[in-house]
Amino acid sequence: MADKYHDTVAKSNVTTDDAAVKNAVEKILADNLAAERTDKNLRLLFSCIDLTTLKSTDSPASVARFTERVNDFENEHGDLPSVAAICVYPNFAQVVRTVLEVSEVEIAAVAGGFPSAQTFPEVKVAETALAVEGGADEIDVVMNLGNFFDGDWEEVCDELEEMKHSCRDSRLKVILETGALKTAENIRNASILAMYSGADFIKTSTGKEYPGASLEAAYTMCQCIKEYHKATGRKVGFKAAGGIVTAEEALGYYCIVKNVLGEEWLTNEYFRIGASRLANNLLSEILGEETKFF
């Protein structure tokens, strides 16, 4: 089906060979992982965390307590960086906005029918707008995978563009759900569509229904970001999410980003990790003792 969406994707030179991607990732880790395990890098990774609570049992009170821990962290560990953001359901953005006292921590909210993206486009747009109105600086939405697999890429992009418009000045992070996409070709195609639809970040996974982040998906996504930046001059961020628990796992993503995109992406403006358990594990490594702060 020839249209501008398929034509744009067809021009990409990013590899879709899954074996080549796997080999490239293995080489990057073999060459870099051990050397990159430094205190400085562990602190950087901590500063790139989107500290996340997305549970059915979340409530205004529990989210307020969750946010208070971030306030407490700055008071008790002022020598360490804060996390990048607190990520919550859209109805709790206002709670975080009210409780949060740490100015450098952003407020992120999932929206757009998260985690399935299966609702009316009008609802997705309204939910995005309401989250922004409630105080969200960043909105994490899921690409419409049903339309993607049907080849209706115009509909995929129209939805994303409308949600981007309703973000106003807030940033849009588009979740590709790479565990459902599976192949390097699908991940490449989805990455390109998301970026050309205005995504400020592309993100691997929801961590809900499908397998979470993988280093192979990260490699392909970062290659797409690099190619897109070269073509347009616009820098798009990368977010890994779903099942990243240990410092070692987080360092793998650091190595991919550094080797594919370079040092300028190694800041929480362009690199994020969505996690809930990772924060304590990184803190334990940094502080040299088991720490369960969050």
Side-chain angles (χ1 to χ4, degrees), residues 184-246:
E185 183 174 5
N186 282 336
I187 292 165
R188 180 201 69 175
N189 298 351
S191 297
I192 293 167
L193 294 175
M195 289 188 290
Y196 278 97
S197 300
D200 298 295
F201 266 80
I202 51 175
K203 172 179 169 183
T204 60
S205 322
T206 62
K208 296 291 185 187
E209 190 178 349
Y210 297 95
S214 73
L215 294 168
E216 289 76 19
Y219 178 84
T220 299
M221 290 166 71
C222 288
Q223 290 288 356
C224 290
I225 290 169
K226 183 178 182 178
E227 183 181 71
Y228 177 82
H229 177 246
K230 191 174 178 186
T232 67
R234 191 169 79 90
K235 286 172 78 172
V236 173
F238 167 75
K239 179 174 173 180
I244 302 165
V245 177
T246 67

Side-chain angles (χ1 to χ4, degrees), residues 124-139:
K124 296 181 183 185
V125 169
E127 190 176 45
T128 300
L130 287 165
V132 170
E133 194 179 313
D137 305 298
E138 301 172 355
I139 301 291

Side-chain angles (χ1 to χ4, degrees), residues 5 52 66 112 138 150 155 162 204 210 221 243-244 261 280:
Y5 307 96
T52 303
F66 189 78
E138 301 172 355
D150 277 356
E155 188 62 35
E162 286 185 33
T204 60
Y210 297 95
M221 290 166 71
I244 302 165
L261 291 169
N280 286 331

Side-chain angles (χ1 to χ4, degrees), residues 42-252:
L42 293 173
R43 288 169 182 250
L44 172 78
L45 285 165
F46 184 81
S47 78
C48 292
I49 289 177
D50 283 0
L51 197 65
T52 303
T53 180
L54 295 170
K55 300 196 290 285
S56 300
T57 52
D58 287 343
S59 69
S62 74
V63 171
R65 287 193 298 272
F66 189 78
T67 307
E68 284 286 8
R69 290 308 283 161
V70 175
N71 295 339
D72 294 343
F73 184 80
E74 187 186 48
N75 294 331
E76 294 176 35
H77 295 281
D79 55 324
L80 292 176
S82 293
V83 294
I86 295 173
C87 185
V88 295
Y89 280 115
N91 46 314
F92 297 120
Q94 182 74 58
V95 176
V96 182
R97 173 64 69 203
T98 303
V99 176
L100 184 63
E101 295 168 358
V102 189
S103 59
E104 63 266 32
V105 176
E106 303 278 25
I107 299 167
V110 297
F114 179 94
S116 66
Q118 297 289 11
T119 188
F120 302 101
E122 297 86 350
V123 172
K124 296 181 183 185
V125 169
E127 190 176 45
T128 300
L130 287 165
V132 170
E133 194 179 313
D137 305 298
E138 301 172 355
I139 301 291
D140 292 36
V141 304
V142 183
M143 175 178 277
N144 190 320
L145 292 180
N147 288 339
F148 175 83
F149 282 120
D150 277 356
D152 190 354
W153 291 359
E154 182 175 4
E155 188 62 35
V156 170
C157 294
D158 284 351
E159 267 193 16
L160 292 176
E161 285 169 7
E162 286 185 33
M163 286 188 281
K164 171 63 180 171
H165 182 71
S166 66
C167 277
R168 300 201 288 274
D169 296 331
S170 298
R171 295 203 285 178
L172 182 69
K173 305 204 243 4
V174 176
I175 305 165
L176 308 182
E177 201 66 293
T178 54
L181 295 174
K182 294 181 180 171
T183 66
E185 183 174 5
N186 282 336
I187 292 165
R188 180 201 69 175
N189 298 351
S191 297
I192 293 167
L193 294 175
M195 289 188 290
Y196 278 97
S197 300
D200 298 295
F201 266 80
I202 51 175
K203 172 179 169 183
T204 60
S205 322
T206 62
K208 296 291 185 187
E209 190 178 349
Y210 297 95
S214 73
L215 294 168
E216 289 76 19
Y219 178 84
T220 299
M221 290 166 71
C222 288
Q223 290 288 356
C224 290
I225 290 169
K226 183 178 182 178
E227 183 181 71
Y228 177 82
H229 177 246
K230 191 174 178 186
T232 67
R234 191 169 79 90
K235 286 172 78 172
V236 173
F238 167 75
K239 179 174 173 180
I244 302 165
V245 177
T246 67
E248 185 92 354
E249 288 165 349
L251 279 164

